[in-house]
Amino acid sequence: MKFSFASTLVLALAAENVVASSWFSKAVYNTWHENELERWLSDHNVPYPTPADRKDLQNLVKSNWKSAVESPYVNWDATRLQKQIQSQGAQVKKGTEKNKNALQDQVKSTWQDTEGSASTAYGDVRNWIFDSWTDSALKSFCDKHSIPVPQPRRRDQYLKAARENYQSVANKLGETAAYPGNWLYETWSDSDAKSWLDERGIPVPQPGNRDKLIASIRRNARVASLNSQSVANRAQSSVSSSAKSAKETLSDSLLDSWSDSQIKEWADKNGIKVPQGSNRNELVALARKHSAKLTGDNVSDEAASAMGAATSSAGNQYSKATDSASTQGNGLADQAYSYFWHYASEAQVAVGLKTDLASSASRSAYSASKSASSAYAKVTGNQEL
């Protein structure tokens, strides 16, 4: 059977239309209530007829989805674009500060959302919509809706409780939850809303009535969540690096504080052969070669264990706090700092360590805590403590 060029073209266009139709039918917003479609259009300043046919509303959302959700930065001004670049731990390229096209290109190069990930995200907003909330906002939401939060009531527990009860709260209120209305922010004051926008460099609507404030938060909530995740990932990476550095510092400090006989005793306990007549430098070099065992069975097991706990605990606290790092402030570094010192103190008294060993552990803890502080400053751009 022979096909003419015209026939082939018709078939190709038909196939393209089938693919497009299939994508449209699967679009996440096609499952939304009509009120949610109208809410989304209103939030994104897209005019729509009233009354409107559902199909018309879906078509309007479709035609604006890419620029509003997948690539929202195309609608931002230079100030907002600069803020976004800085939120990714980068610097605005010199000479492009007021060049909107250049700024957009820089934002685009690190943009995380895609058509697929955006669609997946809006398929279940509870997984991310609370990411940028402050601790007090999460607590107020849980308290308002009588959501039990298990002890210890840390941020991660409040987040888990809010996410798990999100749908049931909406159901009890008779509200939709796919693209939530103002009910979700009922416990937020106007001041809370303005602060949230200010912290992210988002212009506060003028006049700033409540509906417009909440609409602006809803419109930017996904980007805020992505940025929070980005900051958390960078912070965790920096803390891991600092933890490694702290462990190395501990090893060096322990070796500096040990006598030759203590190094030999440690080597013997760990099955490491020490050549006869080894001098101090050779003993230290041998110990460093096997430094991984410095936190194992040795004459200062308890000190090393306590320092390991300091590194691990501070790292864990740092990581948990950065679940919404953009709202935590200098408390991150403070928390890491205090945890290191807490465990260092325990190291000093655990087994009646000698003064020089205790001092060594303390110095290591101080160095580790400063590493955490430096990591925090590097990630968030705040001043090191």
Side-chain angles (χ1 to χ4, degrees):
M1 180 183 292
K2 293 183 178 180
F3 290 94
S4 66
F5 174 76
S7 298
T8 303
L9 181 60
V10 169
L11 288 172
L13 290 173
E16 185 178 334
N17 286 335
V18 168
V19 172
S21 176
S22 175
W23 178 88
F24 180 70
S25 64
K26 294 179 181 178
V28 65
Y29 47 77
N30 284 339
T31 64
W32 291 2
H33 189 279
E34 286 184 26
N35 288 344
E36 292 177 309
L37 292 169
E38 292 179 349
R39 182 180 301 127
W40 189 93
L41 291 169
S42 179
D43 284 356
H44 293 85
N45 301 311
V46 179
Y48 59 90
T50 53
D53 178 79
R54 178 180 179 83
K55 196 70 173 179
D56 292 337
L57 293 174
Q58 288 175 335
N59 282 329
L60 280 171
V61 172
K62 177 187 176 183
S63 61
N64 289 277
W65 184 262
K66 183 175 180 62
S67 62
V69 175
E70 295 171 20
S71 309
Y73 53 84
V74 299
N75 300 311
W76 296 349
D77 61 19
T79 300
R80 179 78 189 278
L81 289 166
Q82 289 186 41
K83 189 79 173 179
Q84 177 64 26
I85 292 168
Q86 292 163 356
S87 75
Q88 301 305 301
Q91 296 294 321
V92 175
K93 292 179 181 177
K94 191 173 182 180
T96 67
E97 292 84 356
K98 296 182 180 180
N99 187 327
K100 188 174 178 180
N101 290 334
L103 291 170
Q104 282 184 357
D105 287 342
Q106 192 173 350
V107 169
K108 183 179 180 180
S109 67
T110 59
W111 193 251
Q112 304 167 60
D113 239 0
T114 63
E115 177 183 318
S117 63
S119 181
T120 299
Y122 275 96
D124 196 354
V125 299
R126 66 178 175 175
N127 288 331
W128 54 266
I129 203 160
F130 294 106
D131 287 354
S132 61
W133 286 35
T134 63
D135 291 357
S136 60
L138 288 169
K139 182 179 183 302
S140 295
F141 179 82
C142 291
D143 290 346
K144 168 73 175 178
H145 300 291
S146 302
I147 299 172
V149 180
Q151 298 284 359
R153 290 176 178 169
R154 301 185 304 262
R155 178 178 178 80
D156 56 336
Q157 295 289 0
Y158 278 110
L159 274 170
K160 185 173 184 291
R163 288 166 180 161
E164 290 179 348
N165 289 274
Y166 173 77
Q167 186 64 55
S168 62
V169 170
N171 292 343
K172 287 178 183 178
L173 297 174
E175 298 282 0
T176 56
Y179 189 72
N182 291 12
W183 66 268
L184 183 61
Y185 301 92
E186 188 178 0
T187 56
W188 287 40
S189 66
D190 289 359
S191 177
D192 292 334
K194 290 176 181 177
S195 294
W196 189 95
L197 295 171
D198 284 339
E199 287 169 4
R200 290 159 181 80
I202 302 169
V204 175
Q206 299 296 334
N209 66 59
R210 184 168 181 81
D211 286 345
K212 288 186 177 181
L213 287 171
I214 300 304
S216 186
I217 291 173
R218 255 196 315 264
R219 184 170 63 248
N220 291 282
R222 175 63 181 160
V223 174
S225 170
L226 290 171
N227 288 344
S228 291
Q229 292 168 21
S230 176
V231 171
N233 289 339
R234 296 200 313 278
Q236 192 166 4
S237 176
S238 292
V239 168
S240 296
S241 176
S242 296
K244 181 180 178 182
S245 175
K247 187 174 181 179
E248 291 172 353
T249 300
L250 168 66
S251 299
D252 288 342
S253 296
L254 284 173
L255 287 175
D256 289 343
S257 66
W258 286 355
S259 66
D260 292 0
S261 60
Q262 285 175 317
I263 295 178
K264 291 177 182 177
E265 181 183 351
W266 165 81
D268 182 58
K269 283 187 176 183
N270 286 280
I272 300 170
K273 292 183 179 181
V274 178
Q276 284 283 17
S278 296
N279 60 33
R280 172 75 183 180
N281 289 339
E282 291 169 336
L283 288 172
V284 170
L286 180 66
R288 283 186 176 140
K289 182 179 179 181
H290 299 275
S291 61
K293 294 182 179 180
L294 282 173
T295 55
D297 181 24
N298 57 58
V299 296
S300 292
D301 263 358
E302 290 82 354
S305 176
M307 282 303 301
T311 300
S312 175
S313 180
N316 288 340
Q317 293 299 320
Y318 200 124
S319 178
K320 289 172 185 175
T322 52
D323 203 0
S324 182
S326 61
T327 63
Q328 296 303 303
N330 288 336
L332 289 173
D334 282 336
Q335 201 169 33
Y337 195 91
S338 64
Y339 268 82
F340 277 116
W341 275 107
H342 169 73
Y343 283 99
S345 297
E346 288 190 356
Q348 293 185 36
V349 300
V351 287
L353 297 176
K354 293 181 180 179
T355 302
D356 55 351
L357 292 180
S359 177
S360 173
S362 180
R363 288 196 304 272
S364 299
Y366 177 78
S367 176
S369 65
K370 291 302 288 181
S371 294
S373 180
S374 296
Y376 168 81
K378 181 179 180 181
V379 169
T380 64
N382 283 312
Q383 189 173 17
E384 183 180 344
L385 298 182

